[in-house]
Amino acid sequence: RDHEAVSHLTRAAPVGRIRGFSTEDAYGLLLGIIVLTFVLLSQVDPARWTRLVVAPAVGAMLLLALYASRARPQLMRVAVIALAVSYVIVVAEALFDSEAFAGSIYLIYGLLILTTPIVIINRILRHPEVQLSTILGAVCAYMLIGMVFGFVYALIGRIDPPFFANRGPVDQFDYFYFSYASLTTVGFGDFVSRGDLGRSLSVLEAVLGQIFLVIFVALIVGILS
C-alpha cells in the first residue's frame, strides 16, 4: 500500500523525458518575475501606454505566486477576476489618457499582493525538509512584502498628495524605492514621508522586515536541523 500511495517508490522516471514543471521551478521563475517587475517600474515611465506593460508583469507575478504555493481554487478565481478588472481599467485609462482610477489599481494590486506572502509562508512551512524551493519561496515572500507597502504608499500619495516631504514631482518607482529602503532599514534619508500615516507605515515595514529575517529564518533553520 505504501508503494501504491507513493508512486515514485516503484516507478522510476523515464530516461530522456523532459522534467515536469515543479513548485521549485515556479518559485525560481517567480523571483525572476519579481525582479523584472521591479526593473520595469524603475525604467518605464508611467505614461498612458507603458502601463499595459507593467500590468501583465504584476498579474503574472501574482498568479504564479498563488500557483507555486498551491493556493485554493477559490482564491485563484478571485485573483483572476480582480486582475481582469484591473487590466480593463488600465486599458481604459490608456485609451482615454486618464488617471481617474489609478488609486483603485493600487488598491487592487496591494490587496492581492498582500495575500501572496502569507500563502507562500504557509506553503514553505509545510515542507518536510529545507529544499531550494524553501529558500526561493522565503526570498520571494520577503520581496513581496516590500512591494505591498510600495503600492500602499502609492495609494496614499494618490489620495492625499504629496506623500513625500520637500520633494518635487515623483513617479511610481519612488514609492517602491522608499519601501525597500524602509524594509531593509537602509534609510538613506533622501525620501521622507510627509504625513504621520506614511511614517507609521514605514516604521511598521521596517519592524516586519526584521521580524521576518529573525523569526522566519530561525524557523527554516529549525526545519533544516
Side-chain angles (χ1 to χ4, degrees), residues 1 38 48 59 68 77 98 100 104 106 112 140 173 175 203 216 225:
R1 292 180 180 178
F38 188 77
R48 56 186 298 188
R77 285 194 291 267
S98 171
S104 61
Y106 295 139
L112 287 175
C140 290
F173 175 72
Y175 297 106
V203 172
F216 193 67
S225 59

Side-chain angles (χ1 to χ4, degrees), residues 14 19 47 79 84 94 98 103 119 138 164 172 184 204-205 209 212 214 216 218:
R19 185 170 58 88
S98 171
V119 173
F164 298 110
Q172 57 188 2
T184 56
L204 176 62
E205 183 179 11
F212 184 91
V214 174
F216 193 67

Side-chain angles (χ1 to χ4, degrees), residues 8 24 38-39 50 63 70 86 126 135 146 151 155 166 188:
H8 71 269
E24 180 176 318
F38 188 77
V39 171
T50 55
L63 294 180
R70 300 182 184 179
S86 64
R126 297 176 182 272
I135 300 173
F151 280 113
L155 178 61
N166 301 324
F188 293 110

Side-chain angles (χ1 to χ4, degrees), residues 13-14 16-25:
R17 178 175 295 182
I18 299 176
R19 185 170 58 88
F21 188 71
S22 64
T23 303
E24 180 176 318
D25 301 321

Side-chain angles (χ1 to χ4, degrees), residues 121 124-125 130 134-135 138-139 142 208-225:
I121 292 173
I124 62 180
L125 286 180
V130 175
T134 310
I135 300 173
V139 175
Y142 185 74
L208 285 178
Q210 296 306 301
I211 290 176
F212 184 91
L213 292 178
V214 174
I215 296 181
F216 193 67
V217 170
L219 289 175
I220 293 180
V221 173
I223 297 174
L224 178 63
S225 59

Side-chain angles (χ1 to χ4, degrees), residues 146-166:
M147 198 159 288
V148 169
F149 279 91
F151 280 113
V152 173
Y153 297 146
L155 178 61
I156 296 175
R158 181 68 182 178
I159 295 175
D160 185 23
F163 179 81
F164 298 110
N166 301 324

